[in-house]
Amino acid sequence: MAKTDVTLTDADRAILRHIQRDGRMTNQALAEATSMSASACWRRVQALEDSGVITGYRAEVDPVRAGLRFGALVAVTLSRATPGADQRFAEIAAARPEILQCFATAGRADYALRVACEDVSHFNTFLAEVLRVEPAIASAETSVVLDVLKDDSALPL
């Protein structure tokens, strides 16, 4: 069954803005922040979860403090001569913990990856053992992340 868009009310948007900033906010605090009763707020949050608008709750982890001091963006172009290249690459991306995000893109590259490793040596090993040996991958162009100026995945609701 295909997912359909959900029409969000102003109250739904207010709930989403608050829980994107603080996913550990209690229902009572969320209700107060959105000027709702606790029961109405809870029902709306449940409806947002049930409809798939809210897909989960996660902790934000500082990669440097977690030992991942090297970040890179990698533009990957697939070999059109390799049958099943897209499927093979999707399997690689899903299986590799170094790949934090993988976006199918339009333009020069087929995919854009956000990669995190302990250091440049580990990244070089990842390149050598994964990207450079896979026949489905024609090229991988790396841009090293020097600094993160903005890292906010919250939606502008």
Side-chain angles (χ1 to χ4, degrees):
M1 178 189 244
K3 290 184 181 182
T4 59
D5 289 343
V6 175
T7 302
L8 299 176
T9 66
D10 289 342
D12 294 332
R13 290 178 191 284
I15 288 170
L16 293 169
R17 278 193 302 272
H18 284 284
I19 61 176
Q20 282 186 117
R21 282 190 294 254
D22 182 3
R24 295 182 68 172
M25 184 177 237
T26 66
N27 184 65
Q28 184 62 42
L30 182 58
E32 290 172 11
T34 57
S35 302
M36 305 171 97
S37 70
S39 60
C41 184
W42 182 84
R43 282 192 303 274
R44 285 186 178 272
V45 170
Q46 288 297 160
L48 290 166
E49 290 174 354
D50 292 345
S51 68
V53 172
I54 296 174
T55 59
Y57 300 87
R58 295 168 188 81
E60 291 184 20
V61 178
D62 183 308
V64 172
R65 290 181 184 230
L68 301 172
R69 290 174 168 70
F70 182 87
L73 304 174
V74 182
V76 175
T77 302
L78 298 184
S79 168
R80 294 294 157 223
T82 305
D86 287 304
Q87 178 61 37
R88 176 68 187 133
F89 184 74
E91 292 167 1
I92 291 168
R96 296 305 303 204
E98 302 91 344
I99 300 174
L100 304 179
Q101 293 178 299
C102 177
F103 303 96
T105 59
R108 222 172 65 204
D110 297 307
Y111 295 94
L113 310 178
R114 185 169 75 100
V115 177
C117 295
E118 292 177 30
D119 54 31
V120 70
S121 176
H122 284 93
F123 179 72
N124 196 38
T125 300
F126 166 73
L127 285 177
E129 294 178 358
V130 179
L131 300 184
R132 289 188 184 138
V133 297
E134 176 54 47
I137 298 173
S139 68
E141 183 179 322
T142 300
S143 295
V144 174
V145 175
L146 300 176
D147 194 7
V148 177
L149 304 180
K150 181 178 181 180
D151 186 5
D152 185 2
S153 61
L155 298 176
L157 298 169

